[in-house]
Amino acid sequence: MLRKIAWKNITYKPLNTALCISLLLFGVGIISLLLLIQHELEQKLKRDLQNIDLVIGAKGSPLQLVLSAIYHLDAPTGNIKLAEARKIMDNPMVEEAIPLAYGDSYRGFRIVGTSRAYLEKYEAQLTSGRTFSKPMEVTLGADIAVRTGLKVGSTFLGTHGEVQEGHVHEDHPYTIVGILQKTNTVLDQLLLTGVESVWQVHSHHGEQQAPIDTIPHAETEKGHEEGHDHAEGHDHDHDHAHEHDHEHVESVMARDSMEITAVLLKFKTKMSVINMPRIINEQTNMQAVLPGLEINRLFYMLGVGATTLKLIAGGIMLMAGFSVFFVLYSRLRDRKFELALMRSVGYRPGQLFALLVLEGVLLAAIGYLLGWLLSRLGLYIINHQAESDFKIQFGTAWAPGEELLLLLTFTVGVISALLPAWKAMRMDVSAILSEN
């Protein structure tokens, strides 16, 4: 019965009720949206970091290098020579080195040349097909497969740059050989191929380069023929060995003259993580960045803005609390006779107290529900833009902190109703009835 009376009371003057609810829903909506985005962004950045100790690339903005090499959310700072990068990659203190080479895209999705260690780092599993093993073979991220409809065996042409209107490399088609399962990491938004594929597409002569994770022994057809004639004599064998070594050196020099975009490094010791950036930045033309440090700085910058917006939203909720208080308090004067009649027909003081508090709780519940829906609507709009610009999506699941927001909203509703409820419970029934 009290619920019905409380509902009738809050709908009696809809404009006042709408004002209270509007303030509550905007406060709840803003805070809930910020909690969602902050939580999802932090989770995504941590998942994609995957114990990467160091990123090396061309000199420029450290944050830009991290965003482009790990998260693929920005343009690269430039390219670096493979020969220079290999000196770091072959360092005995390096536990894992993953090369990255890119510059092309397909329908806005980045084509990344790398090694199969990149897939292993994120524990990627195949839905169908296999991983790339030859030039111009591609293993597809799960989200791209859904968005583009590409399947194993499909072919496509890459576009120079990351806009769909760029130059199309019509002479170098890629072939899909595998599709990855969804990993909820950056791999879902990438087309992965060997580094040699990127070299081949951008080579003026179209020659195939050797894979970066193996150093081949270059043997030409002529070398094979000479090898079959090995029995002709020791001098000839010596000449063939000399020629073989010469060809091997030329092959390695050709590879080392090529460029890559970045390298992801993991070291064996923490001391190496501390020392190597200084050595690389001072003694090479490359830039070494600690991604964890840059991401912490990014979190700090985002946190300042998010905290400011939360304070603004908190101020809106505080205004909503005052609004609920003034509405209930002003109505109390108009409803004195009604409440006195309720006492006269058997309602106890505690029931009148509960009635007023219930009205505050109902206003808070409606405000929270509409604010929660507003936050999800805002996230839907943001997701649409983020998908278009950055190829990322934010989840709509309950974010940590929203349970505290729910408690805060109901607390605002209850506290705002306490004084009017106390007044209603303490009213002089006889005096009010005699006045009317």
Side-chain angles (χ1 to χ4, degrees):
M1 189 63 182
L2 285 179
R3 287 195 299 270
K4 291 182 179 179
I5 296 173
W7 179 254
K8 290 290 185 181
N9 286 335
I10 65 174
T11 57
Y12 177 66
K13 290 186 177 181
L15 290 180
N16 288 339
T17 301
L19 174 62
C20 298
I21 291 174
S22 297
L23 290 172
L24 278 171
L25 78 89
F26 279 114
V28 169
I30 292 172
I31 295 176
S32 179
L33 182 61
L34 289 173
L35 288 173
L36 274 169
I37 293 177
Q38 191 172 14
H39 172 69
E40 286 289 318
L41 192 58
E42 288 180 1
Q43 289 296 107
K44 175 177 175 55
L45 293 178
K46 289 177 181 177
R47 280 197 306 267
D48 291 344
L49 193 57
Q50 285 291 339
N51 296 319
I52 298 171
D53 293 329
L54 198 68
V55 180
I56 59 175
K59 291 187 180 296
S61 166
L63 181 58
Q64 182 182 351
L65 177 58
V66 171
L67 292 178
S68 66
I70 297 179
Y71 304 105
H72 300 277
L73 295 177
D74 204 346
T77 54
N79 289 332
I80 56 177
K81 292 290 185 182
L82 174 60
E84 194 170 19
R86 184 169 287 281
K87 295 176 184 177
I88 307 299
M89 296 166 67
D90 291 340
N91 189 293
M93 298 309 298
V94 173
E95 181 178 334
E96 182 180 55
I98 301 175
L100 300 175
Y102 41 88
D104 291 345
S105 63
Y106 173 71
R107 292 174 58 174
F109 294 99
R110 182 172 283 181
I111 301 172
V112 178
T114 184
S115 65
R116 277 172 285 186
Y118 194 41
L119 282 72
E120 295 168 2
K121 190 167 193 66
Y122 292 97
E123 300 179 352
Q125 301 294 323
L126 289 163
T127 298
S128 59
R130 58 179 175 82
T131 57
F132 57 87
S133 60
K134 299 177 182 178
M136 309 311 294
E137 291 184 344
V138 169
T139 301
L140 202 61
D143 289 349
I144 305 178
V146 173
R147 293 285 303 278
T148 63
L150 291 172
K151 300 178 181 179
V152 174
S154 301
T155 60
F156 67 92
L157 298 174
T159 301
H160 188 68
E162 297 185 14
V163 293
Q164 300 185 34
E165 296 78 16
H167 170 70
V168 177
H169 299 289
E170 297 180 351
D171 297 332
H172 298 88
Y174 290 94
T175 301
I176 306 296
V177 296
I179 298 175
L180 298 175
Q181 294 180 10
K182 191 170 181 64
T183 61
N184 292 316
T185 67
V186 68
L187 294 189
D188 296 335
Q189 304 286 337
L190 299 177
L191 298 100
L192 301 168
T193 184
V195 175
E196 63 273 16
S197 301
V198 178
W199 290 342
Q200 183 170 321
V201 169
H202 294 90
S203 174
H204 295 296
H205 304 291
E207 70 273 18
Q208 293 189 6
Q209 300 294 337
I212 193 169
D213 49 1
T214 58
I215 299 181
H217 296 283
E219 287 185 337
T220 61
E221 237 178 77
K222 178 181 177 182
H224 280 294
E225 292 172 358
E226 290 177 348
H228 291 307
D229 296 333
H230 178 72
E232 290 183 11
H234 175 76
D235 291 340
H236 180 77
D237 186 46
H238 177 77
D239 292 341
H240 170 65
H242 179 76
E243 183 177 351
H244 177 86
D245 291 340
H246 179 69
E247 289 171 352
H248 173 69
V249 170
E250 288 183 342
S251 174
V252 173
M253 287 177 63
R255 289 178 68 252
D256 286 351
S257 68
M258 304 303 289
E259 294 181 336
I260 56 176
T261 309
V263 181
L264 309 179
L265 297 174
K266 182 179 180 182
F267 290 94
K268 296 177 180 178
T269 65
K270 294 296 182 183
M271 188 59 67
S272 300
V273 177
I274 297 173
N275 292 332
M276 286 303 292
R278 177 180 55 80
I279 296 172
I280 294 171
N281 290 328
E282 292 179 357
Q283 300 181 9
T284 72
N285 293 321
M286 300 181 296
Q287 175 183 209
V289 179
L290 295 167
L293 182 62
E294 293 302 318
I295 294 306
N296 285 337
R297 288 175 180 170
L298 181 61
F299 281 158
Y300 175 76
M301 290 186 290
L302 292 175
V304 171
T307 300
T308 302
L309 290 176
K310 286 177 186 176
L311 289 174
I312 294 173
I316 294 174
M317 290 189 67
L318 184 62
M319 292 173 60
F322 281 114
S323 177
V324 171
F325 166 75
F326 286 124
V327 167
L328 293 179
Y329 195 80
S330 63
R331 284 183 186 175
L332 184 61
R333 290 177 298 179
D334 300 333
R335 295 167 56 193
K336 282 183 179 180
F337 185 68
E338 171 198 335
L339 295 173
L341 283 177
M342 291 177 67
R343 284 287 309 278
S344 67
V345 297
Y347 281 89
R348 297 186 300 275
Q351 289 178 301
L352 297 185
F353 182 89
L355 175 64
L356 271 292
V357 171
L358 184 58
E359 291 177 18
V361 169
L362 283 174
L363 289 171
I366 296 170
Y368 181 84
L369 178 61
L370 294 178
W372 187 89
L373 292 174
L374 179 65
S375 70
R376 268 52 187 182
L377 176 62
L379 193 65
Y380 173 80
I381 296 171
I382 290 173
N383 271 340
H384 180 74
Q385 191 64 39
E387 175 67 27
S388 174
D389 295 344
F390 305 109
K391 303 295 183 297
I392 59 174
Q393 286 278 309
F394 297 109
T396 58
W398 190 279
E402 285 195 282
E403 66 279 359
L404 295 177
L405 179 60
L406 175 61
L407 180 62
L408 175 63
T409 307
F410 278 99
T411 301
V412 168
V414 170
I415 292 176
S416 302
L418 283 179
L419 183 58
W422 177 259
K423 285 276 190 180
M425 187 176 68
R426 302 280 293 178
M427 69 172 53
D428 189 341
V429 176
S430 300
I432 293 172
L433 291 177
S434 62
E435 286 176 5
N436 291 272

